[in-house]
Amino acid sequence: MKVTGAALPFLPFCQRLLPGKLPDKLAGLSLALLKATALEIAILAGHLLLYPSGITQERRASVPIPAPRDGAAQLPTQAKPPVVLMHGFIDNRSVFVLLRRSLAQHGRQQIESLNYSPLTCDIRTAAELLGRHIEDICERTGSKRVDIVGHSLGGLIARYYVQRLGGDIRVRTLVTLGTPHSGTRVVPLANAHPIVRQMRPGSALLEELARPAPGCRTHFVSFWSDLDHLMDPLETACIDHPDLMAQNVRVSGIGHLALPVHPAVATGIRQVLDTAHTEAETAAHAGGLTVA
């Protein structure tokens, strides 16, 4: 999946800053990085404005869902399980405003976000909270399974629930966005926070996730970006586990904050959820996937 940030008014100026004798490939990479960084800054500014609206847990009352756009392909409503959205580190549900709207416009009747406290110090504890939240959703909706979309740390929490707490019974599809599945080395000074230490390569928690998981019923799809500044190395956002039915989808040209916001990524997520494979189909098609 190749996505491109919106045109930027200062782009010609940035181009003039690039040395004229740089190889075309290097110049192109530098320009892409400039565009992605500018987009990240714009998204961060917007998200800071929205952040207060997502601090509290969302109400469970039903909300009218916008009618699907003309011509939008849909599965029958009853075939679509609830979608649970999990935000990243020191964030809240406001990060999913645009993705939530996109899913609702394409027929998702039940979409819920879970806020976990920024003071949470253990991914395992957050995964247990997620499990209770999903049981409540299933009881209220009558659905036996749910789909989860997790951004960054949220994807790791959801994966722990699926693999280590028996959540594969409840989770049909887990989509992760920029999640450090193998650990990230970025920002060493952040190690003061225990959850950051759990996201480091070789942590006890990541070693747990590397253990055998025979018979896991959940289908995993990981979206990873080639310009994700929080993933070091970049490929840590890919899932590599012999027992998991997993696909890795490469996204080009955007950074970490853009993953839950960009419309092209939202389209990819909808396609994943609306064409979720049965266990047999997924097993037959398991493996890496790169969309250019």
Side-chain angles (χ1 to χ4, degrees):
M1 175 182 292
K2 185 175 183 179
V3 299
T4 304
L8 303 171
F10 55 87
L11 190 54
F13 174 72
C14 293
Q15 288 174 313
R16 288 196 297 270
L17 291 179
L18 293 175
K21 294 184 179 180
L22 280 177
D24 291 343
K25 186 174 182 180
L26 181 57
L29 178 61
S30 300
L31 184 57
L33 185 57
L34 283 172
K35 292 171 65 177
T37 302
L39 181 61
E40 290 283 281
I41 292 171
I43 291 171
L44 177 60
H47 186 42
L48 289 175
L49 292 175
L50 287 174
Y51 192 92
S53 68
I55 291 176
T56 59
Q57 293 284 8
E58 67 180 357
R59 297 178 180 178
R60 301 298 181 225
S62 59
V63 178
I65 302 299
R69 293 177 297 182
D70 292 342
Q74 293 192 63
L75 294 175
T77 298
Q78 63 269 23
K80 297 182 178 181
V83 179
V84 181
L85 306 176
M86 288 287 290
H87 63 78
F89 184 54
I90 316 179
D91 209 341
N92 62 40
R93 60 189 175 87
S94 63
V95 72
F96 291 118
V97 167
L98 296 180
L99 176 59
R100 187 186 190 110
R101 180 182 302 168
S102 175
L103 292 172
Q105 288 176 337
H106 288 79
R108 289 286 167 169
Q109 299 293 317
Q110 188 74 27
I111 308 168
E112 298 196 13
S113 302
L114 172 63
N115 274 359
Y116 53 92
S117 171
L119 301 179
T120 300
C121 292
D122 188 1
I123 289 174
R124 302 174 185 87
T125 301
E128 291 172 359
L129 173 63
L130 173 61
R132 293 194 295 270
H133 183 69
I134 288 176
E135 290 301 321
D136 177 65
I137 291 174
C138 290
E139 183 177 351
R140 283 188 284 107
T141 64
S143 178
K144 294 182 179 180
R145 306 193 81 184
V146 303
D147 292 328
I148 299 179
V149 179
H151 180 225
S152 196
L153 172 61
L156 204 59
I157 291 171
R159 181 179 170 186
Y160 191 90
Y161 165 65
V162 167
Q163 270 188 251
R164 306 298 298 170
L165 301 180
D168 62 314
I169 295 177
R170 289 298 193 193
V171 180
R172 184 186 69 160
T173 306
L174 171 56
V175 178
T176 66
L177 311 173
T179 292
H181 290 286
S182 301
T184 178
R185 296 188 293 262
V186 76
V187 193
L189 294 178
N191 282 350
H193 198 294
I195 274 192
V196 173
R197 294 197 296 271
Q198 289 183 330
M199 290 191 287
R200 295 306 192 197
S203 72
L205 183 129
L206 293 181
E207 288 179 355
E208 280 189 65
L209 292 178
R211 293 175 187 170
C216 184
R217 287 158 280 200
T218 298
H219 176 211
F220 295 81
V221 180
S222 174
F223 287 78
W224 67 283
S225 171
D226 56 7
L227 292 178
D228 191 331
H229 58 287
L230 291 183
M231 298 296 107
D232 180 17
L234 290 172
E235 292 76 10
T236 189
C238 298
I239 298 177
D240 182 13
H241 192 294
D243 294 332
L244 300 183
M245 300 178 288
Q247 293 174 293
N248 295 302
V249 181
R250 178 183 174 185
V251 180
S252 297
I254 63 174
H256 189 78
L257 297 179
L259 285 167
V261 174
H262 202 285
V265 178
T267 298
I269 293 171
R270 293 198 315 267
Q271 291 173 347
V272 165
L273 298 183
D274 286 348
T275 59
H277 297 150
T278 63
E279 294 172 26
E281 290 171 332
T282 305
H285 293 85
L289 173 65
T290 300
V291 182

